[in-house]
Amino acid sequence: EQIMLVFYAGNKSQDSGIAEMEELPVPHNIKISNITCDSFKISWEMDSKSKDRITHYFIDLNKKENKNSNKFKHKDVPTKLVAKAVPLPMTVRGHWFLSPRTEYTVAVQTASKQVDGDYVVSEWSEIIEFCTADYSKVHLTQLLEKAEVIAGRMLKLSVFYRNQHKEYFDYIREHHGNAMQPSVKDNSGSHGSPISGKLEGIFFSCNTEFNTGKPPQDSPYGRYRYEIAAEKLFNPNTNLYFGDFYCMYTAYHYVILVIAPVGSPGDEFCKQRLPQLNIKDNKFLTCDEEGGVMVYHHAQDVILEVIYTDPVDLSLGTVAEITGHQLMSLSTANAKKDPSCKTCNISVGR
Protein backbone atom coordinates (compact mmCIF):
# COMPACT_ATOMS: atom_id res chain seq x y z
CA GLU A 1 0.00 0.00 0.00
CA GLN A 2 1.31 3.41 -0.90
CA ILE A 3 1.21 6.14 1.71
CA MET A 4 1.59 9.87 1.77
CA LEU A 5 4.49 11.01 3.90
CA VAL A 6 4.64 14.27 5.78
CA PHE A 7 7.69 15.70 7.45
CA TYR A 8 8.16 15.41 11.17
CA ALA A 9 10.68 17.94 12.42
CA GLY A 10 11.16 16.29 15.79
CA ASN A 11 14.49 16.37 17.57
CA LYS A 12 15.95 14.56 20.55
CA SER A 13 15.06 17.20 23.16
CA GLN A 14 11.42 17.20 22.11
CA ASP A 15 11.37 13.42 21.87
CA SER A 16 12.58 13.05 25.46
CA GLY A 17 9.73 15.21 26.70
CA ILE A 18 7.21 12.66 25.45
CA ALA A 19 5.27 10.88 28.18
CA GLU A 20 6.50 7.41 29.07
CA MET A 21 3.66 4.96 28.90
CA GLU A 22 3.70 1.23 28.43
CA GLU A 23 6.54 0.75 25.96
CA LEU A 24 5.66 0.40 22.30
CA PRO A 25 7.21 -2.46 20.31
CA VAL A 26 10.54 -1.64 18.64
CA PRO A 27 10.72 -2.61 14.93
CA HIS A 28 13.32 -5.30 14.19
CA ASN A 29 14.41 -7.44 11.24
CA ILE A 30 13.88 -4.55 8.82
CA LYS A 31 13.65 -5.53 5.15
CA ILE A 32 14.01 -3.16 2.19
CA SER A 33 12.66 -4.33 -1.20
CA ASN A 34 11.36 -3.10 -4.58
CA ILE A 35 14.04 -0.41 -4.71
CA THR A 36 13.76 2.10 -7.59
CA CYS A 37 15.63 5.35 -8.17
CA ASP A 38 13.15 7.29 -6.00
CA SER A 39 11.20 4.76 -3.92
CA PHE A 40 11.49 1.59 -1.86
CA LYS A 41 9.31 -0.77 0.16
CA ILE A 42 10.03 -1.28 3.83
CA SER A 43 8.75 -3.90 6.26
CA TRP A 44 9.76 -5.14 9.69
CA GLU A 45 8.68 -7.36 12.52
CA MET A 46 7.49 -6.29 15.97
CA ASP A 47 6.18 -7.89 19.13
CA SER A 48 2.43 -8.13 19.33
CA LYS A 49 2.41 -6.55 22.83
CA SER A 50 0.92 -3.01 22.63
CA LYS A 51 0.80 -3.39 18.83
CA ASP A 52 -2.79 -2.18 18.68
CA ARG A 53 -1.75 1.17 20.22
CA ILE A 54 0.49 2.06 17.24
CA THR A 55 -1.01 4.84 15.15
CA HIS A 56 2.08 6.02 13.25
CA TYR A 57 5.54 5.05 12.10
CA PHE A 58 8.48 7.45 12.20
CA ILE A 59 11.14 6.83 9.57
CA ASP A 60 14.58 8.41 9.86
CA LEU A 61 16.10 8.44 6.39
CA ASN A 62 19.60 9.80 5.89
CA LYS A 63 22.03 10.00 3.02
CA LYS A 64 25.15 8.04 3.87
CA GLU A 65 27.84 10.68 4.12
CA ASN A 66 30.11 10.46 1.16
CA LYS A 67 33.04 12.77 0.56
CA ASN A 68 32.07 13.07 -3.10
CA SER A 69 28.40 13.72 -2.40
CA ASN A 70 26.67 16.25 -4.60
CA LYS A 71 27.61 19.70 -3.25
CA PHE A 72 24.48 21.19 -4.78
CA LYS A 73 22.08 19.06 -2.75
CA HIS A 74 20.16 21.07 -0.18
CA LYS A 75 21.54 19.89 3.13
CA ASP A 76 18.55 21.10 5.10
CA VAL A 77 15.87 18.82 3.62
CA PRO A 78 14.16 17.20 6.62
CA THR A 79 14.33 13.42 6.36
CA LYS A 80 12.44 12.30 9.42
CA LEU A 81 9.14 11.10 7.98
CA VAL A 82 5.91 10.35 9.76
CA ALA A 83 3.46 7.91 8.23
CA LYS A 84 0.11 6.51 9.29
CA ALA A 85 0.45 2.96 10.56
CA VAL A 86 -0.58 1.05 7.43
CA PRO A 87 -0.15 -2.66 6.74
CA LEU A 88 3.44 -3.61 5.87
CA PRO A 89 5.29 -3.58 3.52
CA MET A 90 4.84 0.13 3.06
CA THR A 91 6.04 2.14 0.06
CA VAL A 92 8.20 5.20 0.71
CA ARG A 93 8.53 7.44 -2.30
CA GLY A 94 9.47 11.01 -3.06
CA HIS A 95 11.92 12.53 -5.50
CA TRP A 96 12.46 15.50 -3.20
CA PHE A 97 14.38 13.41 -0.71
CA LEU A 98 15.46 10.29 -2.63
CA SER A 99 18.14 10.48 -5.32
CA PRO A 100 19.08 7.62 -7.65
CA ARG A 101 22.20 5.51 -7.15
CA THR A 102 22.71 6.87 -3.64
CA GLU A 103 23.41 5.09 -0.36
CA TYR A 104 20.99 5.71 2.50
CA THR A 105 20.58 4.66 6.10
CA VAL A 106 17.13 4.11 7.55
CA ALA A 107 15.79 3.48 11.07
CA VAL A 108 12.19 3.19 12.26
CA GLN A 109 10.23 3.72 15.45
CA THR A 110 6.58 3.07 16.23
CA ALA A 111 4.44 5.85 17.68
CA SER A 112 1.10 6.37 19.33
CA LYS A 113 -0.63 9.71 18.85
CA GLN A 114 -2.18 11.02 22.05
CA VAL A 115 -5.37 13.04 22.46
CA ASP A 116 -3.34 16.25 22.93
CA GLY A 117 -1.54 15.67 19.61
CA ASP A 118 1.77 14.57 21.15
CA TYR A 119 3.33 11.21 20.34
CA VAL A 120 4.49 8.38 22.51
CA VAL A 121 7.34 6.66 20.68
CA SER A 122 9.26 3.40 20.85
CA GLU A 123 13.03 3.13 20.83
CA TRP A 124 14.63 3.46 17.40
CA SER A 125 15.18 0.23 15.51
CA GLU A 126 18.63 -0.81 14.30
CA ILE A 127 19.98 1.18 11.35
CA ILE A 128 19.78 -0.46 7.93
CA GLU A 129 21.74 0.60 4.82
CA PHE A 130 20.57 0.36 1.22
CA CYS A 131 21.29 1.94 -2.14
CA THR A 132 18.70 3.36 -4.53
CA ALA A 133 18.59 2.17 -8.13
CA ASP A 134 19.56 3.72 -11.46
CA TYR A 135 17.04 5.39 -13.75
CA SER A 136 14.74 2.82 -15.28
CA LYS A 137 13.80 2.76 -18.98
CA VAL A 138 10.70 4.76 -18.05
CA HIS A 139 12.83 7.58 -16.61
CA LEU A 140 15.24 7.47 -19.54
CA THR A 141 12.31 7.71 -21.95
CA GLN A 142 11.25 10.90 -20.15
CA LEU A 143 14.80 12.24 -20.61
CA LEU A 144 14.73 11.17 -24.26
CA GLU A 145 11.51 13.09 -24.85
CA LYS A 146 13.04 16.22 -23.32
CA ALA A 147 16.13 15.85 -25.51
CA GLU A 148 14.01 15.46 -28.65
CA VAL A 149 12.46 18.88 -28.01
CA ILE A 150 15.78 20.70 -28.43
CA ALA A 151 17.64 18.45 -30.90
CA GLY A 152 17.14 20.86 -33.81
CA ARG A 153 17.33 20.08 -37.51
CA MET A 154 19.54 17.37 -38.95
CA LEU A 155 22.89 17.98 -40.67
CA LYS A 156 24.83 15.53 -42.85
CA LEU A 157 27.92 13.76 -41.57
CA SER A 158 30.34 11.28 -43.12
CA VAL A 159 32.76 10.33 -40.32
CA PHE A 160 32.98 9.52 -36.63
CA TYR A 161 36.10 10.81 -34.91
CA ARG A 162 37.97 10.43 -31.64
CA ASN A 163 40.61 12.83 -30.33
CA GLN A 164 43.43 11.66 -28.09
CA HIS A 165 47.08 12.37 -27.34
CA LYS A 166 49.75 10.88 -29.56
CA GLU A 167 50.79 8.58 -26.66
CA TYR A 168 47.34 6.96 -26.66
CA PHE A 169 47.58 5.87 -30.30
CA ASP A 170 51.20 4.73 -29.85
CA TYR A 171 50.09 2.62 -26.88
CA ILE A 172 47.21 1.05 -28.86
CA ARG A 173 49.60 0.07 -31.65
CA GLU A 174 52.18 -1.37 -29.26
CA HIS A 175 50.08 -3.07 -26.59
CA HIS A 176 46.67 -3.79 -28.14
CA GLY A 177 47.53 -5.06 -31.60
CA ASN A 178 46.31 -1.82 -33.22
CA ALA A 179 42.75 -2.10 -31.81
CA MET A 180 41.20 0.58 -29.57
CA GLN A 181 39.62 -1.21 -26.60
CA PRO A 182 36.31 -0.40 -24.88
CA SER A 183 36.71 1.02 -21.37
CA VAL A 184 34.17 1.61 -18.60
CA LYS A 185 32.22 4.85 -18.96
CA ASP A 186 33.02 7.50 -16.33
CA ASN A 187 30.47 9.18 -14.05
CA SER A 188 29.72 12.22 -16.20
CA GLY A 189 26.11 13.07 -16.97
CA SER A 190 22.93 12.25 -15.06
CA HIS A 191 23.43 10.89 -11.57
CA GLY A 192 20.91 8.09 -12.22
CA SER A 193 22.41 7.01 -15.53
CA PRO A 194 22.53 3.18 -15.77
CA ILE A 195 25.57 3.30 -18.10
CA SER A 196 27.92 5.26 -15.80
CA GLY A 197 30.59 3.03 -14.31
CA LYS A 198 29.03 0.00 -16.03
CA LEU A 199 28.88 0.17 -19.82
CA GLU A 200 32.13 -0.50 -21.68
CA GLY A 201 32.71 1.34 -24.93
CA ILE A 202 34.81 3.74 -26.98
CA PHE A 203 33.77 7.39 -27.17
CA PHE A 204 33.37 8.98 -30.59
CA SER A 205 32.11 12.37 -31.73
CA CYS A 206 30.19 13.06 -34.91
CA ASN A 207 29.24 16.73 -34.74
CA THR A 208 30.16 18.81 -37.78
CA GLU A 209 30.81 22.49 -38.33
CA PHE A 210 27.75 24.17 -39.74
CA ASN A 211 29.59 25.90 -42.61
CA THR A 212 31.99 23.13 -43.71
CA GLY A 213 30.07 19.92 -42.92
CA LYS A 214 33.35 18.56 -41.52
CA PRO A 215 34.46 17.83 -37.94
CA PRO A 216 35.55 20.96 -36.04
CA GLN A 217 39.31 21.60 -35.87
CA ASP A 218 39.27 22.20 -32.10
CA SER A 219 39.05 19.51 -29.42
CA PRO A 220 39.42 19.16 -25.64
CA TYR A 221 40.81 15.63 -25.88
CA GLY A 222 44.22 15.85 -27.53
CA ARG A 223 45.81 16.97 -30.78
CA TYR A 224 45.54 13.66 -32.62
CA ARG A 225 42.32 12.61 -34.28
CA TYR A 226 41.20 9.21 -35.45
CA GLU A 227 38.58 9.45 -38.23
CA ILE A 228 36.52 6.52 -39.48
CA ALA A 229 33.84 6.40 -42.18
CA ALA A 230 30.42 6.46 -40.52
CA GLU A 231 29.24 3.21 -42.14
CA LYS A 232 32.10 1.24 -40.54
CA LEU A 233 30.56 1.84 -37.08
CA PHE A 234 26.91 2.57 -37.76
CA ASN A 235 24.87 0.46 -40.18
CA PRO A 236 21.88 -1.90 -40.29
CA ASN A 237 23.92 -4.50 -38.34
CA THR A 238 24.12 -2.19 -35.32
CA ASN A 239 21.50 -1.12 -32.81
CA LEU A 240 21.21 2.45 -31.52
CA TYR A 241 20.24 3.37 -27.95
CA PHE A 242 19.57 6.61 -26.09
CA GLY A 243 21.88 6.81 -23.05
CA ASP A 244 21.64 10.25 -21.43
CA PHE A 245 20.83 13.95 -21.77
CA TYR A 246 22.62 16.56 -19.66
CA CYS A 247 24.33 19.93 -19.42
CA MET A 248 27.09 21.24 -17.18
CA TYR A 249 25.98 24.76 -16.22
CA THR A 250 26.34 25.78 -19.88
CA ALA A 251 24.02 26.87 -22.67
CA TYR A 252 24.65 23.75 -24.74
CA HIS A 253 23.42 20.24 -24.04
CA TYR A 254 24.92 16.80 -24.52
CA VAL A 255 23.17 13.63 -25.67
CA ILE A 256 24.87 10.26 -25.19
CA LEU A 257 24.01 7.59 -27.75
CA VAL A 258 25.21 3.99 -27.78
CA ILE A 259 25.95 2.08 -30.99
CA ALA A 260 26.19 -1.67 -30.41
CA PRO A 261 26.74 -4.40 -33.00
CA VAL A 262 23.61 -6.60 -32.98
CA GLY A 263 23.93 -9.46 -30.48
CA SER A 264 27.18 -8.17 -28.93
CA PRO A 265 27.65 -8.00 -25.12
CA GLY A 266 27.13 -4.22 -25.33
CA ASP A 267 23.87 -4.76 -27.21
CA GLU A 268 22.62 -7.19 -24.55
CA PHE A 269 23.53 -4.71 -21.78
CA CYS A 270 21.68 -1.84 -23.50
CA LYS A 271 18.60 -3.90 -24.43
CA GLN A 272 17.86 -4.41 -20.75
CA ARG A 273 18.40 -0.82 -19.67
CA LEU A 274 18.13 1.79 -22.44
CA PRO A 275 15.42 2.99 -24.84
CA GLN A 276 16.21 1.74 -28.35
CA LEU A 277 16.04 4.18 -31.29
CA ASN A 278 15.06 3.47 -34.88
CA ILE A 279 18.33 3.95 -36.81
CA LYS A 280 16.49 5.41 -39.82
CA ASP A 281 14.14 7.66 -37.94
CA ASN A 282 15.07 9.46 -34.72
CA LYS A 283 15.91 13.03 -33.71
CA PHE A 284 19.66 12.53 -33.02
CA LEU A 285 21.58 10.29 -35.40
CA THR A 286 20.24 8.51 -38.48
CA CYS A 287 21.54 6.10 -41.06
CA ASP A 288 19.51 5.52 -44.23
CA GLU A 289 20.06 4.25 -47.72
CA GLU A 290 19.63 6.64 -50.63
CA GLY A 291 20.31 5.31 -54.11
CA GLY A 292 22.43 2.42 -52.85
CA VAL A 293 24.56 4.68 -50.65
CA MET A 294 24.37 5.04 -46.86
CA VAL A 295 23.56 8.61 -45.82
CA TYR A 296 24.08 9.92 -42.27
CA HIS A 297 22.60 12.85 -40.35
CA HIS A 298 23.09 14.23 -36.84
CA ALA A 299 21.13 16.72 -34.71
CA GLN A 300 22.40 20.28 -35.00
CA ASP A 301 21.51 21.70 -31.59
CA VAL A 302 22.96 19.13 -29.19
CA ILE A 303 26.51 17.82 -28.81
CA LEU A 304 26.42 14.09 -29.47
CA GLU A 305 28.70 11.74 -27.58
CA VAL A 306 28.60 8.33 -29.24
CA ILE A 307 29.74 5.20 -27.41
CA TYR A 308 30.68 2.25 -29.62
CA THR A 309 30.70 -0.97 -27.60
CA ASP A 310 33.20 -3.15 -29.52
CA PRO A 311 36.97 -2.79 -30.17
CA VAL A 312 37.86 -0.72 -33.25
CA ASP A 313 40.96 -1.44 -35.33
CA LEU A 314 42.94 1.69 -36.20
CA SER A 315 43.45 0.35 -39.74
CA LEU A 316 39.74 0.97 -40.44
CA GLY A 317 40.39 4.75 -40.37
CA THR A 318 43.14 7.34 -40.22
CA VAL A 319 45.04 9.20 -37.48
CA ALA A 320 46.19 12.78 -38.12
CA GLU A 321 47.11 15.87 -36.11
CA ILE A 322 44.43 18.59 -35.88
CA THR A 323 45.26 22.21 -36.63
CA GLY A 324 42.93 23.82 -34.06
CA HIS A 325 43.14 24.44 -30.32
CA GLN A 326 42.79 22.09 -27.43
CA LEU A 327 39.75 23.53 -25.65
CA MET A 328 39.92 21.96 -22.21
CA SER A 329 36.80 23.80 -21.08
CA LEU A 330 34.72 21.53 -23.30
CA SER A 331 35.91 18.34 -21.65
CA THR A 332 33.11 16.23 -20.14
CA ALA A 333 35.29 13.83 -18.10
CA ASN A 334 33.38 13.05 -14.88
CA ALA A 335 31.40 16.25 -15.41
CA LYS A 336 28.55 16.89 -13.02
CA LYS A 337 25.10 17.53 -14.43
CA ASP A 338 23.43 20.82 -13.50
CA PRO A 339 20.59 19.66 -11.19
CA SER A 340 18.67 22.93 -11.58
CA CYS A 341 18.42 22.99 -15.40
CA LYS A 342 14.75 22.81 -16.44
CA THR A 343 15.64 21.56 -19.93
CA CYS A 344 17.43 18.32 -19.04
CA ASN A 345 16.15 17.20 -15.63
CA ILE A 346 13.16 14.99 -14.95
CA SER A 347 11.18 15.02 -11.72
CA VAL A 348 12.86 12.09 -10.04
CA GLY A 349 15.94 12.28 -7.89
CA ARG A 350 18.78 14.15 -9.58
Side-chain angles (χ1 to χ4, degrees):
E1 180 173 349
Q2 192 172 319
I3 50 121
M4 225 9 254
L5 291 170
V6 289
F7 291 124
Y8 156 63
N11 60 34
K12 285 282 179 283
S13 61
Q14 283 171 295
D15 292 354
S16 57
I18 292 171
E20 282 303 316
M21 287 172 57
E22 189 188 348
E23 284 186 16
L24 289 168
V26 180
H28 59 94
N29 198 13
I30 294 174
K31 294 265 191 301
I32 304 282
S33 60
N34 295 63
I35 300 171
T36 72
C37 69
D38 65 348
S39 72
F40 60 92
K41 278 191 172 173
I42 186 168
S43 64
W44 57 81
E45 294 166 19
M46 49 195 165
D47 301 333
S48 50
K49 198 174 79 134
S50 307
K51 207 171 165 180
D52 50 356
R53 287 185 33 233
I54 300 170
T55 61
H56 290 78
Y57 304 136
F58 289 175
I59 299 171
D60 192 19
L61 184 68
N62 289 294
K63 216 181 235 193
K64 231 177 117 178
E65 269 320 310
N66 175 353
K67 289 174 189 56
N68 311 327
S69 63
N70 188 345
K71 304 253 186 319
F72 304 101
K73 189 84 184 137
H74 296 299
K75 285 272 184 280
D76 53 357
V77 176
T79 51
K80 200 177 275 187
L81 313 167
V82 61
K84 282 228 164 67
V86 295
L88 300 174
M90 166 176 98
T91 299
V92 178
R93 72 168 63 243
H95 67 265
W96 60 93
F97 54 81
L98 280 170
S99 299
R101 202 186 268 214
T102 303
E103 292 187 328
Y104 287 93
T105 60
V106 65
V108 198
Q109 54 185 181
T110 56
S112 173
K113 193 168 190 177
Q114 307 301 292
V115 192
D116 60 5
D118 275 347
Y119 290 96
V120 176
V121 292
S122 73
E123 293 289 311
W124 282 106
S125 69
E126 78 266 40
I127 294 171
I128 298 290
E129 296 183 1
F130 71 99
C131 186
T132 46
D134 296 335
Y135 282 159
S136 67
K137 269 194 195 175
V138 173
H139 299 116
L140 285 169
T141 301
Q142 291 172 17
L143 262 188
L144 163 63
E145 287 163 359
K146 297 199 96 170
E148 286 175 339
V149 173
I150 69 152
R153 65 195 183 105
M154 304 289 273
L155 301 176
K156 267 195 180 175
L157 74 119
S158 57
V159 298
F160 289 103
Y161 55 96
R162 172 174 173 78
N163 279 70
Q164 280 286 354
H165 301 286
K166 183 175 183 297
E167 294 76 18
Y168 169 83
F169 293 113
D170 291 344
Y171 187 84
I172 294 298
R173 292 184 189 102
E174 260 171 70
H175 299 276
H176 287 298
N178 217 37
M180 293 187 286
Q181 300 298 316
S183 59
V184 177
K185 187 198 165 296
D186 68 8
N187 285 315
S188 58
S190 299
H191 188 52
S193 166
I195 60 178
S196 290
K198 293 182 184 173
L199 177 69
E200 294 192 3
I202 306 169
F203 261 110
F204 284 92
S205 300
C206 64
N207 290 72
T208 54
E209 285 188 317
F210 185 69
N211 48 355
T212 65
K214 291 187 163 48
Q217 277 305 317
D218 303 320
S219 163
Y221 300 112
R223 298 199 58 80
Y224 283 76
R225 174 171 292 171
Y226 175 74
E227 279 191 13
I228 183 169
E231 60 265 22
K232 298 256 174 78
L233 297 187
F234 186 34
N235 54 58
N237 298 318
T238 54
N239 283 327
L240 182 67
Y241 297 91
F242 172 82
D244 201 1
F245 177 45
Y246 69 101
C247 73
M248 306 173 296
Y249 304 89
T250 50
Y252 39 88
H253 277 83
Y254 295 85
V255 168
I256 298 180
L257 301 175
V258 184
I259 297 175
V262 174
S264 67
D267 190 35
E268 293 307 312
F269 178 94
C270 294
K271 220 175 224 111
Q272 313 290 319
R273 297 168 179 83
L274 306 180
Q276 189 170 345
L277 301 174
N278 178 342
I279 65 169
K280 292 183 174 183
D281 180 23
N282 67 78
K283 292 276 199 284
F284 311 108
L285 181 65
T286 59
C287 144
D288 210 352
E289 205 177 313
E290 289 177 20
V293 183
M294 298 307 270
V295 179
Y296 293 86
H297 289 87
H298 70 88
Q300 172 189 324
D301 293 338
V302 290
I303 298 175
L304 294 179
E305 298 184 298
V306 177
I307 299 176
Y308 186 76
T309 62
D310 270 13
V312 176
D313 200 290
L314 290 178
S315 63
L316 295 172
T318 57
V319 177
E321 194 170 357
I322 58 169
T323 55
H325 302 285
Q326 209 176 313
L327 302 174
M328 288 318 290
S329 61
L330 287 176
S331 171
T332 60
N334 284 313
K336 287 283 166 269
K337 177 171 180 171
D338 176 357
S340 62
C341 176
K342 298 278 187 286
T343 306
C344 63
N345 280 292
I346 51 176
S347 65
V348 291
R350 303 286 175 250

